[in-house]
Amino acid sequence: MALRACGLIIFRRRLIPKVDNDSIEFLLLQASNGIHHWTPPKGHVDPGENDLETALRETREEAGIEAHQLTIVEGFRKELNYVAWQKPKTVIYWLAEVKDYDVEIRLSNEHQAYRWLGLDEACQLAEFKEMKAALQEGHHFLCSTVA
């Protein structure tokens, strides 16, 4: 059976006079272990939790962002399936916008750095094709819907 994890693709919109595709920045966290990969906050589902509860808890634990500081974007849910540490893994992501552009990020010991990045830079850091595709699909979804 695949390991199951859930997370949030967190974004903010730069405060510039013209809102366009380049105004969206994604939050990526750099893992402290392994190859120090960059991903949005995510983690394994605990017993008794539903998927979205897991995503919100992991975001609080890994980035210090509380649920009340976020707006979950309706209509976007992305499931990734891949092999990690020689085991099948399923990760469910939702899009979430921070309500405060300057929200404080407080990393757990699971991560050593964070960055807010435009789509191209985020995809370069993300490395894994599944994560790149999730970021691209999230960006496309945000750009094709009225904010």
Side-chain angles (χ1 to χ4, degrees), residues 13-29:
R13 298 177 201 257
R14 280 196 298 252
L15 305 175
I16 54 178
K18 180 183 172 200
V19 174
D20 59 21
N21 293 355
D22 295 329
S23 69
I24 297 169
E25 296 177 322
F26 294 100
L27 175 65
L28 294 183
L29 311 179

Side-chain angles (χ1 to χ4, degrees), residues 7-13 24-27 40-41 52 55-56 59 65-77 93-100 103 116 135 138-139 141-142:
L8 298 176
I9 297 174
I10 297 173
F11 70 97
R12 65 184 185 181
R13 298 177 201 257
I24 297 169
E25 296 177 322
F26 294 100
L27 175 65
L52 188 54
L56 291 165
T59 298
I65 301 174
E66 301 287 342
H68 68 85
Q69 297 175 290
L70 298 165
T71 301
I72 304 296
V73 176
E74 293 291 323
F76 184 89
R77 180 182 179 277
Y93 281 109
W94 289 265
L95 283 169
E97 184 170 15
V98 292
K99 293 177 182 176
D100 177 3
V103 66
W116 289 101
L135 291 167
H139 189 271
F141 183 87
L142 291 170

Side-chain angles (χ1 to χ4, degrees), residues 28-40 42 85 107-115 117 122 124-128 131:
L28 294 183
L29 311 179
Q30 186 180 34
S32 299
N33 66 351
I35 58 170
H36 304 293
H37 61 287
W38 292 82
T39 66
K42 68 178 184 322
W85 307 102
L107 296 177
S108 73
N109 61 3
E110 294 179 39
H111 296 92
Q112 61 187 15
Y114 75 90
R115 290 182 64 189
L117 302 159
Q124 286 176 0
L125 273 187
E127 293 183 31
F128 300 112
M131 191 67 250

